[in-house]
Amino acid sequence: MAYVITQRCCNDASCVSECPVDCIRPTPDQPGFATAEMLHIDPDTCIDCGACVDACPVEAIFSEDDLTASLARYRDINAAYFQRHPLESNIEPLVSPVRPPKALGTLRVAIVGAGPAACYAADAILRRADAQVELFDRLPTPWGLVRAGVAPDHAGTKTVSAMFETAFRRDTLQYYLNVEVGTHITHEELLDHHHAVVYAVGAATDRRLGVPGEDLAGSVSATEFVAWYNGHPDYADRTYDLSGERAVIVGNGNVALDIARVLTLDPDELAKTDIADHALEALRSSNIREVVLLGRRGPLQAAYTSPEFLALAHLKNVDVVVAAEDLELDDVSRGHLDDPDVEPSTRLKYTLAEEYAHASRNPEHKRIVFRFLTSPTALLGEDRVTAVEFVHNELVEENGQVSARATDRTETLEAGLVLRSIGYRGQPIPALPFDEGKGVVPNEAGRVVEDGEPVTGVYVSGWIKRGARGVIGSNRVDSEETVEQVIADFMAGKLPAPKADRAALKELVQSRQPDLVDRAGWKAIDTAEKTAGKTAGRPRVKLTSREDLLNAARG
C-alpha cells in the first residue's frame, strides 16, 4: 500500500523534505518543479509511513486504500509520472541554513501583503533568524487569495491558512490589517522602522482583451467576479446579470474552470461552502444553463491543469462537452502527443478531452463547453453584451514555441455574460521601479533592482516578483529564495539599522488609522464568521463589508 497525492496538491513541497525514502517528485531543486501541475509519490518506493500526510498543508495526500471514487484515478497519475521519470533517489542529510549570529541583534522586517507569498516569507524569516515581522494589508482580513480567490467549493485548498495561523501565534509577528501602505504609512517610514521591507502584494488586476465592445455592460473581469462571490469587501456591492442562459468565459485556465463550476453547480451544494451570501442569493436566481470557455490554443496547450480538468467529471448534474472535431489534432499537436518524452500531464489532458467528447449527455443537465483554437475579435451589443464574435485559430511552431495564428473563419455566439480570464497582472508600487511589459517589480532573486543596482533593504516575493503564474504552494520556494537574500544582506551588514522601534511604529500607525486591525481584531472576526457558519452548517459565513468586519474586530 502506498500514499497518493491528489487534486488539492498546492506544490508547497513541505512533504518532500519529510519523506524518509525520498520518493516525492519533482523536488524544488529539479528543473521541472516550477512548471509541475502537482507532486507525485512513487508507489514502488513509498513505505506507507504517512509522514507526508502530516506535512501536507492542504490535505491532498491519502492512502491508496482510502481514495474516493473521484480521486481513484490519482493512483495511476502518480505511477505514470515515475514511468516517465524513473526515481533516482540520492538521500543526503539536510543541511540547516546558516542563521545570523546573535550579535547582530533582532532582524526587523515589514511585509506588505498578507496572502500566501507574504505568509510563506514571514514564516521563513521567523524560522531563519531572531526576527520581528510586521504584516501589513489594506484589508481587515489576512490570507489574500486563499480567502478571496480560491473557489468556495475547494475548501481543502483553504486549509493552508491553518498552517500560517499556527506559525504566527507568537508576538514575533504582528498584524497591521486595514492599513494601506502609501496612505497610512509611507514606504520611507517602513524603511525607517525596519531593516528590510518585502512587498508581496500579488497581481491585483487582470489583462484586457483589447477588442471592440469590451467595456459594454455584461463584459466582466474574472478577477472582480471571483472577488465578488468570495466576499471581498471591495466588490461585495457588485451586481451581475445572470438572466441569460449562456455565459462565455474567454480563457481556460484554472480560474476560468472555477467560475464555470460556480455558475453551474447546484446552489444547494454551494450553500455548504463559505461562498458570500449575496453571491449565493444571486446564483439561486440564475438562468445560466451553459458556460462556454474559449481557449486560444488546442487541448494539449490548454492553460488549465489536468487535475482541475479531471475534477469536472464528478460534478453533479453537469455535462462537460468537448466537440469531437476539436480533437482532430494538427501536425504540430500530433507531433507533440506522439513524442515519447511528452509529460504524462499533457497526455492526460488529451485523454480527458477524448473522454468528455465521447461521454453521454443529459439534456436536463447544465453544460460546461470547451471550445479550443478560438480568439474573440469583438463583443457585440448596443447597451450591453449580447454576443461574442471570435475567430478560429491554427497552431504554428517557430523556434520550438507553439503559438496560435488566426484563420479567416469566424463565428458568433450569443451570450448575456462574458468574463475575461486571460491572466492577472501586477500594478506599480509607489516609490518602486516597475516593468510595465512584464507587470512586475524588477528584481534579482527577490532583491529589487533599479538601473541594474540593488535597492537597499527592498525585496519582492510572489506574483509581483515573478509574474502571475504558479499555484499557492509555488510561493513557498519563491519566498524562501527572497528571504535568503534578506538574510544574506543582513549578515553582510548591508541593511541599515531601524531608526525607531516597534512601539514607535504602532503609535505612528494608530495615529493615522484608528481602525487598525491587530491579531486580536482578526481573531474576533474569524470567531464571528466561524460561529455563524457553525449555526448554518458551513465552514464560515463571511462578513463582506468593511463596516461589518470592523464591528466584529471591535467585538
Side-chain angles (χ1 to χ4, degrees):
M1 184 175 69
Y3 279 88
V4 178
I5 298 179
T6 66
Q7 178 193 347
R8 293 177 187 168
C9 179
C10 71
N11 288 36
D12 160 293
S14 296
C15 56
V16 173
S17 60
E18 296 301 314
C19 178
V21 292
D22 190 32
C23 72
I24 303 177
R25 294 291 186 275
T27 60
D29 59 345
Q30 292 181 318
F33 178 82
T35 56
E37 293 185 345
M38 58 178 286
L39 306 186
H40 311 80
I41 295 174
D42 181 12
D44 295 330
T45 308
C46 176
I47 60 173
D48 192 30
C49 69
C52 56
V53 178
D54 296 334
C56 180
V58 293
E59 302 175 358
I61 306 177
F62 297 86
S63 164
E64 61 180 335
D65 288 347
D66 295 331
L67 293 172
T68 61
S70 64
L71 299 178
R73 198 162 182 166
Y74 284 93
R75 182 188 295 108
D76 295 335
I77 291 172
N78 278 244
Y81 178 85
F82 291 96
Q83 292 171 5
R84 168 69 181 85
H85 302 280
L87 184 67
E88 295 180 4
S89 182
N90 182 25
I91 303 178
E92 297 180 359
L94 292 175
V95 178
S96 299
V98 176
R99 292 178 62 89
K102 290 188 178 294
L104 289 178
T106 300
L107 171 63
R108 289 191 33 75
V109 181
I111 300 180
V112 183
C119 292
Y120 276 119
D123 180 48
I125 291 168
L126 294 172
R127 285 188 285 104
R128 287 289 309 275
D130 176 12
Q132 293 176 345
V133 175
E134 270 77 49
L135 200 65
F136 290 81
D137 199 282
R138 68 182 190 83
L139 294 180
T141 57
W143 318 144
L145 285 181
V146 174
R147 179 180 172 96
V150 173
D153 63 329
H154 278 16
T157 305
K158 299 172 186 277
T159 58
V160 68
S161 62
M163 179 182 72
F164 300 140
E165 290 275 19
T166 300
F168 301 160
R169 282 177 178 169
R170 295 181 295 126
D171 280 343
T172 48
L173 181 138
Q174 293 186 353
Y175 292 90
Y176 280 77
L177 306 175
N178 202 41
V179 175
E180 186 164 12
V181 174
T183 299
H184 303 118
I185 188 169
T186 68
H187 169 73
E188 292 73 20
E189 288 169 335
L190 285 179
L191 285 172
D192 285 344
H193 289 80
H194 302 87
H195 290 93
V197 180
V198 178
Y199 285 87
V201 295
T205 61
D206 61 342
R207 299 184 183 277
R208 290 179 60 83
L209 300 175
V211 301
E214 184 172 8
D215 294 321
L216 283 170
S219 171
V220 177
S221 154
T223 305
E224 296 179 3
F225 193 74
V226 168
W228 169 75
Y229 66 62
N230 274 316
H232 190 299
D234 289 353
Y235 302 97
D237 60 351
R238 300 291 174 92
T239 58
Y240 299 101
D241 186 354
L242 308 180
S243 62
E245 292 194 355
R246 178 186 291 131
V248 171
I249 304 175
V250 180
N252 60 12
N254 285 349
V255 172
L257 268 61
D258 287 346
I259 296 171
R261 288 197 319 277
V262 168
L263 288 173
T264 55
L265 275 171
D266 185 335
D268 287 340
E269 291 294 316
L270 289 171
K272 302 171 186 176
T273 73
D274 68 352
I275 189 170
D277 284 348
H278 58 254
L280 181 61
E281 181 180 354
L283 290 165
R284 286 194 184 279
S285 303
S286 170
N287 290 329
I288 292 175
R289 302 285 304 167
E290 179 178 275
V291 178
V292 179
L293 292 90
L294 303 180
R296 183 168 54 90
R297 297 187 293 174
L300 291 182
Q301 300 85 20
Y304 52 70
T305 59
S306 53
E308 292 298 322
F309 195 38
L310 171 59
L312 297 179
H314 301 283
L315 297 180
K316 294 180 181 179
N317 302 321
V318 178
D319 287 338
V320 180
V321 179
V322 174
E325 56 266 26
D326 281 352
L327 299 178
E328 298 174 4
L329 297 178
D330 56 90
D331 291 341
V332 172
S333 296
R334 175 55 62 187
H336 282 278
L337 190 62
D338 291 342
D339 185 343
D341 291 331
V342 67
E343 286 296 324
S345 59
T346 301
R347 195 178 300 279
L348 178 59
K349 282 183 178 180
Y350 187 74
T351 299
L352 291 171
E354 284 186 310
E355 293 175 5
Y356 290 136
H358 297 106
S360 60
R361 294 162 191 165
N362 186 331
E364 299 299 316
H365 288 178
K366 293 180 181 179
R367 294 156 47 102
I368 297 176
V369 181
F370 287 84
R371 300 290 304 272
F372 299 100
L373 291 169
T374 58
S375 295
T377 52
L379 304 188
L380 308 179
E382 294 295 330
D383 299 325
R384 60 172 299 104
V385 169
T386 57
V388 180
E389 179 187 86
F390 57 89
V391 65
H392 289 262
N393 299 325
E394 61 182 4
L395 293 183
V396 294
E397 187 170 18
E398 297 178 354
N399 301 320
Q401 298 294 318
V402 177
S403 60
R405 181 173 62 193
T407 67
D408 57 3
R409 181 182 164 210
T410 61
E411 189 175 338
T412 300
L413 194 63
E414 291 184 1
L417 177 68
V418 178
L419 300 109
R420 62 179 182 271
S421 182
I422 56 174
Y424 292 91
R425 176 179 170 80
Q427 291 182 301
I429 298 171
L432 268 63
F434 190 70
D435 185 327
E436 286 287 352
K438 296 179 179 179
V440 300
V441 172
N443 69 94
E444 294 177 357
R447 282 192 186 97
V448 173
V449 295
E450 188 168 21
D451 298 327
E453 295 296 323
V455 179
T456 301
V458 187
Y459 307 82
V460 284
S461 183
W463 282 358
I464 197 64
K465 168 187 173 183
R466 68 182 188 275
R469 61 182 184 274
V471 292
I472 286 174
S474 307
N475 293 295
R476 180 172 179 262
V477 174
D478 177 283
S479 296
E480 287 178 347
E481 178 186 59
T482 295
V483 169
E484 188 64 37
Q485 315 314 312
V486 176
I487 299 292
D489 289 348
F490 180 55
M491 293 177 64
K494 296 180 180 180
L495 304 180
K499 299 176 182 178
D501 60 14
R502 263 189 156 179
L505 174 68
K506 190 154 193 176
E507 182 179 354
L508 172 67
V509 176
Q510 284 185 323
S511 70
R512 297 174 182 171
Q513 173 52 305
D515 289 326
L516 179 155
V517 176
D518 57 12
R519 182 193 308 277
W522 158 238
K523 189 65 178 175
I525 293 171
D526 191 41
T527 299
E529 292 184 337
K530 288 179 176 177
T531 300
K534 187 174 182 180
T535 303
R538 302 168 63 184
R540 67 172 68 234
V541 174
K542 287 180 178 175
L543 300 171
T544 60
S545 73
R546 284 182 182 269
E547 181 181 2
D548 288 344
L549 286 164
L550 294 178
N551 284 337
R554 301 183 191 107

